[in-house]
Amino acid sequence: EAIGNAVEALHAARSIVLCGLGASASVALDAQHKLLRFPRPVMAHTDIINQRMLAAGLTPEDCLLCISYTGRTTAIVELAQLGHSTGARVIGLTAPDSPLAAACDLVLAVSSGEDTDLYTPMTSRIAQLVIVDILATCLALKQGDEFADHLREIKRNLGRTRSSG
């Protein structure tokens, strides 16, 4: 149900802002790479100043996806609160029952049991990436048949960036 609600929110959004810090920043950038294929502006920022500027300018028509495995990163929790105060739909890709989860409208819960206080996040990041892939796939399926033409045009255009040899 959480995935379905998140897909609905992303589908309805005028624009999508993706935010993460540390290991979650690479997940935000991967999400941007996948979501750029959809017909709406998508922005991922890994700098908290830029993230706060973007969040402050959101409207109820926009969606903010905050990514933090622990859900305890103060800057990301504050960012979710800021996005919420603008009326934007705020989705958290985070630990259930975390401060970030409490600040979000929708929660995509990730729990890997990994001790990120001691080790560099690995399994938690992979779990987040899997959820991003699921979101992108579900969002693509929701677009309808004409979306395949849009994807073909993107691929055709990208083909121009490669040499023929």
Side-chain angles (χ1 to χ4, degrees), residues 27-102:
V27 177
L29 292 171
D30 183 73
Q32 174 184 255
H33 179 71
K34 298 211 171 53
L35 297 179
L36 281 172
R37 290 162 175 79
F38 297 93
R40 67 192 41 79
V42 176
M43 297 153 279
H45 281 275
T46 60
D47 174 272
I48 191 60
I49 301 300
N50 288 341
Q51 291 172 348
R52 289 182 72 91
M53 287 191 293
L54 273 171
L58 295 176
T59 73
E61 296 176 327
D62 301 311
C63 193
L64 173 63
L65 176 57
C66 294
I67 304 166
S68 170
Y69 173 67
T70 66
R72 297 186 322 252
T73 305
T74 305
I76 294 293
V77 173
E78 290 174 353
L79 188 68
Q81 292 166 340
L82 177 58
H84 195 266
S85 74
T86 68
R89 193 75 185 263
V90 181
I91 302 171
L93 179 51
T94 189
D97 304 317
S98 66
L100 178 57

Side-chain angles (χ1 to χ4, degrees), residues 5-158:
N5 291 337
V7 168
E8 287 295 329
L10 295 170
H11 180 70
R14 178 190 65 160
S15 71
I16 301 168
V17 173
L18 308 154
C19 296
L21 297 170
S24 295
S26 62
V27 177
L29 292 171
D30 183 73
Q32 174 184 255
H33 179 71
K34 298 211 171 53
L35 297 179
L36 281 172
R37 290 162 175 79
F38 297 93
R40 67 192 41 79
V42 176
M43 297 153 279
H45 281 275
T46 60
D47 174 272
I48 191 60
I49 301 300
N50 288 341
Q51 291 172 348
R52 289 182 72 91
M53 287 191 293
L54 273 171
L58 295 176
T59 73
E61 296 176 327
D62 301 311
C63 193
L64 173 63
L65 176 57
C66 294
I67 304 166
S68 170
Y69 173 67
T70 66
R72 297 186 322 252
T73 305
T74 305
I76 294 293
V77 173
E78 290 174 353
L79 188 68
Q81 292 166 340
L82 177 58
H84 195 266
S85 74
T86 68
R89 193 75 185 263
V90 181
I91 302 171
L93 179 51
T94 189
D97 304 317
S98 66
L100 178 57
C104 294
D105 300 310
L106 299 170
V107 178
L108 300 171
V110 177
S111 185
S112 73
E114 181 177 45
D115 181 1
T116 58
D117 291 332
L118 182 59
Y119 300 106
T120 298
M122 184 173 57
T123 57
S124 59
R125 184 176 44 80
I126 291 169
Q128 289 174 327
L129 290 168
V130 168
I131 290 176
V132 166
D133 285 348
I134 292 168
L135 285 173
T137 300
C138 291
L139 193 56
L141 292 171
K142 187 163 184 60
Q143 303 301 305
D145 293 337
E146 64 279 353
F147 187 63
D149 293 334
H150 175 75
L151 289 177
R152 275 191 280 281
E153 179 58 23
I154 288 173
K155 281 290 192 183
R156 188 183 67 73
N157 194 304
L158 289 175

